[in-house]
Amino acid sequence: MPLLLVVLVVPVAVALYVASTFIVLLVRQHLSPLRSLPGPPSPSFFLGNLREMHDQENNGLVHRWSSLYGPTFVYRGFLSGCRLMTTDPVAASYILGRAYDFPKPDFVRDGLSDMIGGHEGILVVEGEDHRRQRKVLTPAFSASHIRSLSPIFWQKAVELRSIWLDIISSSHAHPHAPAPPDPLTPSGSTAMHDQPASPTLSRSSTSGQSSSFLPNPFSSFVSSKVAPSPDVNSTGTRRRTRMQEGVLPTSEKDKPDTWSDGRGPRVDVLAWFARATLDVIGEAGFGYTFDSLSGGKESELAQAFGVIFSTARKFRVLTILQVWFPILRKFQRQPTELKEAHETMHRIGLGLIEEKRTEIMSEKSSAFASEGNTDGRDILSVLIRSNLSSDPSQRLSTSETLCQISTFLAAGHETTASALTWSLYALASAPAVQHKLRAELRSISAPSLSSPSSSESSPPSPYPAPSAEDLTEIFTCQYLDAVVREVLRVHSPVTSTMRVAAHDNVIPLSPSLSSPSSPSIKVNKGDIISIPISALNQSVEDWGEDGRVFRPERWLHDHEGQGWERRSRVQGLWGNMLTFLNGNPINGNRACIGWRFAINE
């Protein structure tokens, strides 16, 4: 009898749970004040407008919708639920500046936690946990500390430059040879090589993809072997190139010839930038050497993250159902390979933490702060030092520290690699800008740009570290600064962000963009809000009719004395744009904590 009762009761209970959840969802959507706002028609009850939004960065969808329905409108999500989208700068600043009133939706946080291997990273936590973590982490991202990491950025930049010159030289010697293999494509994959060459770079392409969900930056490490670096010869020793010797090409005769058919050597720059920035975040972030540029070894940690990222990004119906039925998360089983990857990450992470703690507690730790020494200056070392504080508010637990390691890896290198790729694309598309920038950089008289460093006690280094004077001269290049700002405005690595109302709220609108009868918008608890960062960064109202055009001169003083310091209506963290978001310490500062790291790199 009890078994029969269970057989009868369980299906009924499940059916009631499912039905009640759907009813509550539909009632909430029906009562949402967002239903009164204009918006595009929904082509599907189940998927709403989500399918056509998949390629929104390439098809100008947000700009088209804004012109038709105004800066603040609704689109439809799953089950045709109303979602608010706004390009109104006042509304966007209000929402992002009150991060604890408008946190990330649970399904976004779950997706991020899957990618970074835990729910305790600063990208995922909310409320008081986020405020405490940000307070602990902030000193590791101070201007002076990031500046001390510049030699690591410098070394990897020079190393990458020499690799590319070797690729060019090799291609010139064998003009009809196939392009070098993509270093981030697993062995045996021909997907990239089967695609026809395209003259333009699109955000939906493999080499240019950028989205609010991080792509898998560790895909190349899932395979058993990675492609060898072209600057390593058959004996395994690194060839010194003319660039490593500090010689910059300054005349036409120094430039490589193109192939006979007019095409020059082809390099997948995103693949190489991903390797360089991975090396940078490994060393500058927590003192871990990936050696991904040199291809000298396979990183066990990178392989583990490759599995985690590729698994987390797979589309599953269960993932969608978990948004509506949170109880299903309790019954989710991890694949064996994913479980093993998490164990690897946990083991190596604990080892790094213990190693740093031992170094800091040793008598030798005092040498870390010596001039020109970057040992002990990685972000993890700074974090461990803060964890030794007697103040509990200045400490993170071991599990929280582990999550920060994976967070730095996930968010700290793919976005920078994407920004660097778009930088070269923008410069290649604007030869006049490229010529002007190169002329400014060649005017720099920094000694370490022209000759390698050497001393009586050590052999010459192929990667001379910049002096403080060198860095000052580089960082004060006005046109270089303008180019960096313009790239990050036009080609924001993270193109949109999503928030949810934690409680009923009223969002103010710009007086110039709203009607006198509707100066604000009411949202109910649970209403989802999308903020298209790229569209706001390219707003015609803020940046003029050429707001979507790459023009670094807009950041320089014009004939009216106006330049980048003019106030935009968008209250962004940096440069009056939302590339790094914004925020305030009282009600939630969710702006990018590593923005100085990214700009410096």
Side-chain angles (χ1 to χ4, degrees):
M1 187 65 179
L3 180 60
L4 179 60
L5 184 63
V6 171
V7 171
L8 293 175
V9 170
V10 170
V12 173
V14 171
L16 289 175
Y17 171 74
V18 171
S20 61
T21 301
F22 268 111
I23 291 173
V24 169
L25 177 65
L26 294 174
V27 169
R28 184 179 65 79
Q29 291 181 171
H30 180 73
L31 297 177
S32 172
L34 299 180
R35 289 177 58 86
S36 62
L37 295 178
S42 173
S44 167
F45 173 76
F46 289 101
L47 293 178
N49 301 105
L50 298 182
R51 188 183 299 277
E52 58 186 317
M53 292 178 66
H54 176 70
D55 198 34
Q56 59 181 294
E57 291 305 320
N58 295 320
N59 57 26
L61 183 67
V62 175
H63 293 279
R64 187 165 67 252
W65 280 352
S66 296
S67 63
L68 290 174
Y69 308 109
T72 303
F73 54 91
V74 297
Y75 68 96
R76 303 290 175 156
F78 292 111
L79 292 183
S80 293
C82 291
R83 295 184 178 184
L84 180 69
M85 180 175 286
T86 180
T87 58
D88 185 307
V90 171
S93 298
Y94 180 87
I95 294 165
L96 296 176
R98 292 161 176 78
Y100 299 153
D101 292 334
F102 297 95
K104 297 184 181 75
D106 285 344
F107 62 88
V108 173
R109 295 174 62 199
D110 286 343
L112 289 172
S113 64
D114 287 343
M115 290 184 181
I116 65 175
H119 288 79
E120 298 179 271
I122 193 170
L123 279 179
V124 179
V125 295
E126 294 286 351
E128 287 303 317
D129 285 337
H130 177 266
R131 182 181 284 115
R132 175 176 53 84
Q133 287 194 12
R134 191 172 184 94
K135 182 179 180 181
V136 174
L137 290 167
T138 295
F141 292 95
S142 66
S144 59
H145 180 249
I146 297 303
R147 193 181 181 96
S148 73
L149 297 174
S150 294
I152 297 176
F153 305 158
W154 186 280
Q155 176 186 357
K156 292 302 175 181
V158 174
E159 186 176 353
L160 180 60
R161 181 183 64 181
S162 68
I163 288 174
W164 283 359
L165 281 181
D166 280 346
I167 291 175
I168 292 173
S169 299
S170 175
S171 299
H172 178 60
H174 305 283
H176 300 292
D182 178 0
L184 287 189
T185 299
S187 302
S189 173
T190 58
M192 289 293 296
H193 303 290
D194 291 338
Q195 301 300 322
S198 172
T200 59
L201 184 62
S202 116
R203 284 194 178 272
S204 64
S205 68
T206 304
S207 294
Q209 188 174 11
S210 178
S211 69
S212 56
F213 284 93
L214 296 173
N216 182 359
F218 302 96
S219 58
S220 66
F221 298 100
V222 178
S223 60
S224 61
K225 292 294 178 185
V226 294
S229 172
D231 69 332
V232 178
N233 61 25
S234 59
T235 63
T237 58
R238 183 177 299 277
R239 298 195 303 265
R240 288 174 61 84
T241 67
R242 53 195 302 276
M243 279 300 210
Q244 287 175 310
E245 299 294 345
V247 181
L248 288 170
T250 56
S251 65
E252 291 298 324
K253 66 181 178 63
D254 290 322
K255 297 180 181 179
D257 296 330
T258 56
W259 287 347
S260 57
D261 61 358
R263 290 188 300 117
R266 298 179 60 188
V267 179
D268 187 340
V269 296
L270 177 58
W272 286 109
F273 274 144
R275 286 191 175 276
T277 55
L278 179 61
D279 281 355
V280 166
I281 194 62
E283 295 183 28
F286 45 93
Y288 185 87
T289 303
F290 282 105
D291 275 340
S292 57
L293 265 183
S294 65
K297 68 173 184 178
E298 275 197 335
S299 169
E300 187 181 15
L301 183 60
Q303 290 183 44
F305 272 103
V307 172
I308 292 172
F309 268 62
S310 60
T311 304
R313 285 172 51 81
K314 290 179 180 177
F315 175 80
R316 297 183 181 88
V317 175
L318 179 61
T319 303
I320 304 302
L321 294 177
Q322 287 171 346
V323 177
W324 300 324
F325 310 107
I327 194 174
L328 294 178
R329 299 170 190 167
K330 299 180 181 296
F331 301 99
Q332 185 174 358
R333 295 180 58 186
Q334 282 192 345
T336 302
E337 60 176 356
L338 182 61
K339 183 178 179 181
E340 292 175 351
H342 279 294
E343 291 174 351
T344 298
M345 182 197 71
H346 187 80
R347 171 174 51 81
I348 295 178
L350 285 178
L352 287 169
I353 293 172
E354 185 58 34
E355 179 182 345
K356 294 299 176 186
R357 184 180 290 114
T358 301
E359 290 177 355
I360 291 169
M361 296 298 291
S362 69
E363 295 181 354
K364 296 181 179 180
S365 62
S366 60
F368 291 153
S370 62
E371 183 65 26
N373 185 7
T374 59
D375 292 339
R377 291 184 178 180
D378 57 86
I379 296 170
L380 181 59
S381 294
V382 176
L383 188 58
I384 296 298
R385 289 191 185 95
S386 67
N387 274 358
L388 298 177
S389 170
S390 58
D391 183 0
S393 66
Q394 293 293 326
R395 298 197 302 263
L396 299 182
S397 67
T398 299
S399 59
E400 286 178 320
T401 304
L402 278 170
C403 281
Q404 307 315 324
I405 293 175
S406 53
T407 297
F408 298 155
L409 267 177
H413 99 273
E414 187 278 332
T415 50
T416 309
S418 175
L420 285 165
T421 301
W422 284 107
S423 299
L424 293 195
Y425 173 78
L427 290 171
S429 303
V433 173
Q434 183 181 162
H435 177 76
K436 185 175 181 179
L437 176 62
R438 184 178 289 108
E440 180 184 58
L441 297 181
R442 283 177 173 165
S443 68
I444 295 176
S445 58
S448 63
L449 286 177
S450 57
S451 61
S453 62
S454 62
S455 65
E456 295 181 358
S457 58
S458 61
S461 169
Y463 310 127
S467 66
E469 292 76 16
D470 296 341
L471 293 175
T472 298
E473 190 172 8
I474 293 169
F475 292 155
T476 54
C477 288
Q478 292 186 0
Y479 200 64
L480 174 63
D481 180 75
V483 169
V484 171
R485 289 175 182 272
E486 185 71 346
V487 165
L488 291 175
R489 182 188 72 84
V490 179
H491 301 293
S492 175
V494 178
T495 60
S496 63
T497 188
M498 190 173 288
R499 297 293 187 265
V500 62
H503 50 76
D504 295 354
N505 210 318
V506 177
I507 301 173
L509 301 176
S510 300
S512 60
L513 299 178
S514 61
S515 63
S517 60
S518 302
S520 60
I521 291 177
K522 182 181 178 182
V523 293
N524 286 350
K525 178 181 179 180
D527 283 339
I528 293 176
I529 305 164
S530 292
I531 299 179
I533 295 172
S534 289
L536 277 158
N537 280 357
Q538 301 170 20
S539 167
V540 172
E541 288 77 15
D542 281 339
W543 303 100
E545 292 299 325
D546 65 345
R548 301 180 70 180
V549 177
F550 176 74
R551 187 172 67 83
E553 282 72 18
R554 74 176 76 248
W555 296 96
L556 305 176
H557 290 286
D558 57 26
H559 64 281
E560 297 177 351
Q562 293 181 335
W564 65 267
E565 73 279 5
R566 70 177 176 82
R567 292 301 300 171
S568 166
R569 296 175 305 155
V570 174
Q571 299 173 13
L573 171 69
W574 178 76
N576 301 325
M577 57 179 118
L578 287 179
T579 300
F580 298 106
L581 300 184
N582 68 358
N584 65 77
I586 298 177
N587 198 16
N589 186 357
R590 297 232 56 131
C592 176
I593 193 171
W595 67 278
R596 289 189 181 92
F597 189 105
I599 294 170
N600 187 308
E601 186 178 359

